Amino acid sequence: MFGILAQMVSSIAEKGGEKPLAPTSMQYAKAIAEAMKANFNPHLPNEEQSGEQMFRIHDIASSLGISPGYGQEVFRKVYGISPRRYLSELKLQEAKVMIRQPELTLKEIASRLGYS
């Protein structure tokens, strides 16, 4: 999957006249996405979560040894959206799953997804 994504990004960059991304840039973008997925857990009760789902792009970038600005830049180039938008998409997909569970109220779903 990662190889296919790399080929797509490379071909898009070539068509647009941009220089293809270095493999390291793609690795950083993938690491940021994976960290966001790993830290996104709407199944924990609110008491076990704090802040913005217990992570920020600054923290993720620091753990990779890159600046937050560079992390956002490579993420946007690889995925075509900002990390914030990516997180919103994760939340939307999870909301679609959770709304089908009759035992969860809309208020509880919103709370678990960080909207309250």
Side-chain angles (χ1 to χ4, degrees):
M1 174 99 168
F2 182 65
I4 293 169
L5 178 62
Q7 288 175 348
M8 287 173 47
V9 169
S10 182
S11 68
I12 291 170
E14 289 171 4
K15 288 178 185 174
E18 296 178 18
K19 192 171 108 179
L21 289 172
T24 305
S25 297
M26 286 191 259
Q27 290 170 342
Y28 284 142
K30 184 177 183 214
I32 292 168
E34 292 300 320
M36 291 175 76
K37 283 183 195 174
N39 286 302
F40 176 69
N41 190 348
H43 302 287
L44 291 176
N46 279 342
E47 301 82 44
E48 295 182 36
Q49 299 180 37
S50 64
E52 294 182 353
Q53 297 291 122
M54 298 177 55
F55 66 95
R56 297 179 312 161
I57 187 70
H58 181 308
D59 299 330
I60 297 169
S62 293
S63 72
L64 295 172
I66 59 174
S67 73
Y70 180 69
Q72 290 180 0
E73 179 184 332
V74 296
F75 192 93
R76 187 179 297 275
K77 284 183 179 177
V78 170
Y79 291 104
I81 58 174
S82 69
R84 182 178 300 255
R85 177 65 186 245
Y86 181 80
L87 180 59
S88 292
E89 293 294 325
L90 284 175
K91 288 180 177 184
L92 178 61
Q93 294 306 315
E94 189 60 34
K96 289 177 181 179
V97 171
M98 294 172 85
I99 206 162
R100 291 186 178 117
Q101 298 175 12
E103 69 276 3
L104 296 176
T105 65
L106 291 179
K107 184 175 180 175
E108 185 175 355
I109 292 170
S111 178
R112 287 185 180 195
L113 295 174
Y115 291 113
S116 51

